[in-house]
Amino acid sequence: MQLFSFWVLTVLTAVLSGQQTLANFIKTTWMDLNDSATLSCPEPCSGVETWERSGQKVAKCGVNEESEFSCERRLEQSSLTVSQVNYTTRGFYHTKCDGKVICFQNLQPNPHNSSVEVSAGGSLILELLTFHPVTLTFSRTDGGSVTPVQMCTVDGRSVLCNVGYEDRVSVCGNSMVLRDMVSADSGVYTVREVNDGAALIQTVSVTVKYVQQSWMWENEYQQGLKTRALGFGIGALVLGVILGFFAVPRGLYLINRYVQRLRRQDSSCMDQTEDVEKSVPLT
């Protein structure tokens, strides 16, 4: 009994001091980020049973509360449901029966793994997923060194980067932004917390892709053809309007004069014919 009490006291002291080494001594439940989790305590309790995290009560069994935590008893054991596992709800949980600790649990999210493609010249946005201080390391995969290189340390809005990154990195909300991506930035980016355990938060495999120059030239050529065709069409339309405004009336005027001239010539010929007919003697 004394050994158990000593162990309980040691664990509680470590919980309150935030030591990550507790994970080596008590049961740890790993869940994917943002999934729900259920922690259980097999010890019976005939009194008031509560669940706490880092010394703060999160749920009381048998009491329905609108919360991200809910506790229920079934077959002389209790369970705590955590609606969403993230870096806010993770940590060491313990169960109390009438104020006495009877169970311990450790809840942790699995490291998040993802991959992304970024266009050359664009920006890489890395969600840090936690508000605790983190370090960002980079391992190149384009044929260069595969040894991880520490890039930056982020603490809230403050970011401290090594040479070559200080002018390209900024913090936006809870994300880190790396600008002006080039081929040498292809690789694996790792986010870890800055603490004794250096918990792995996430790894992101990044590929920087370039747009083919031939494709760009073809696209620009086609755009140029479309622009020239549009300009020619507009020019023809304007020319047609101008010709219609000036040339058509002039053409009508010339045609009218030509018709009048023909009429005059025809009238002159008829007069001459009458004169000749009058001058012929009768026989």
Side-chain angles (χ1 to χ4, degrees):
M1 184 64 180
Q2 291 181 348
L3 181 60
F4 176 76
S5 299
F6 173 78
W7 182 79
V8 169
L9 180 60
T10 302
V11 171
L12 282 177
T13 303
V15 168
L16 295 176
S17 62
Q19 295 180 14
Q20 297 297 323
T21 53
L22 274 177
N24 298 325
F25 299 98
I26 64 175
K27 177 183 177 182
T28 300
T29 300
W30 294 92
M31 300 297 299
D32 288 337
L33 191 66
N34 297 325
D35 281 358
S36 62
T38 300
L39 308 178
S40 61
C41 176
E43 299 296 327
C45 176
S46 59
V48 178
E49 191 168 5
T50 58
W51 283 77
E52 297 183 0
R53 184 178 70 88
S54 301
Q56 299 293 324
K57 186 178 74 172
V58 295
K60 181 178 179 181
C61 295
V63 178
N64 294 325
E65 299 177 342
E66 292 185 1
S67 172
E68 56 186 336
F69 305 96
S70 60
C71 174
E72 64 176 356
R73 282 183 182 175
R74 185 173 298 175
L75 301 178
E76 295 187 350
Q77 69 176 16
S78 69
S79 62
L80 176 72
T81 299
V82 183
S83 61
Q84 192 174 51
V85 178
N86 51 43
Y87 290 92
T88 301
T89 59
R90 68 168 179 178
F92 296 99
Y93 290 78
H94 56 273
T95 313
K96 285 185 176 181
C97 180
D98 289 335
K100 296 180 180 180
V101 177
I102 58 175
C103 289
F104 294 96
Q105 294 279 336
N106 181 25
L107 177 63
Q108 294 292 329
N110 288 317
H112 185 63
N113 301 314
S114 62
S115 60
V116 65
E117 286 188 347
V118 181
S119 297
S123 297
L124 171 66
I125 301 177
L126 286 176
E127 293 187 25
L128 302 179
L129 302 179
T130 176
F131 291 100
H132 294 136
V134 298
T135 59
L136 179 68
T137 58
F138 168 66
S139 299
R140 186 173 297 172
T141 58
D142 67 342
S145 173
V146 295
T147 303
V149 177
Q150 181 169 329
M151 291 175 50
C152 303
T153 299
V154 181
D155 186 359
R157 300 292 300 175
S158 174
V159 56
L160 180 63
C161 295
N162 291 333
V163 177
Y165 293 102
E166 64 268 36
D167 295 331
R168 299 173 56 200
V169 173
S170 60
V171 175
C172 181
N174 197 37
S175 299
M176 191 208 72
V177 181
L178 177 61
R179 300 180 296 275
D180 303 327
M181 297 290 287
V182 295
S183 178
D185 293 321
S186 294
V188 178
Y189 293 77
T190 303
V191 180
R192 288 185 178 274
E193 282 190 321
V194 180
N195 52 34
D196 294 338
L200 175 61
I201 304 300
Q202 71 165 328
T203 58
V204 181
S205 179
V206 178
T207 302
V208 179
K209 59 179 181 178
Y210 280 84
V211 179
Q212 296 295 329
Q213 295 298 325
S214 59
W215 180 88
M216 292 178 61
W217 179 87
E218 180 181 358
N219 185 59
E220 292 176 356
Y221 178 76
Q222 292 178 351
Q223 291 295 332
L225 288 179
K226 292 179 181 179
T227 302
R228 286 192 291 272
L230 179 62
F232 179 81
I234 294 176
L237 178 62
V238 172
L239 181 60
V241 171
I242 294 175
L243 290 176
F245 185 80
F246 292 100
V248 172
R250 178 64 177 173
L252 293 176
Y253 171 75
L254 293 176
I255 293 173
N256 184 52
R257 288 193 58 184
Y258 181 73
V259 171
Q260 290 179 357
R261 182 181 300 174
L262 290 177
R263 287 178 178 175
R264 286 197 298 269
Q265 291 178 353
D266 183 65
S267 176
S268 176
C269 291
M270 291 179 63
D271 293 337
Q272 291 178 2
T273 302
E274 292 178 354
D275 292 339
V276 170
E277 291 177 349
K278 291 180 180 178
S279 63
V280 175
L282 297 176
T283 55

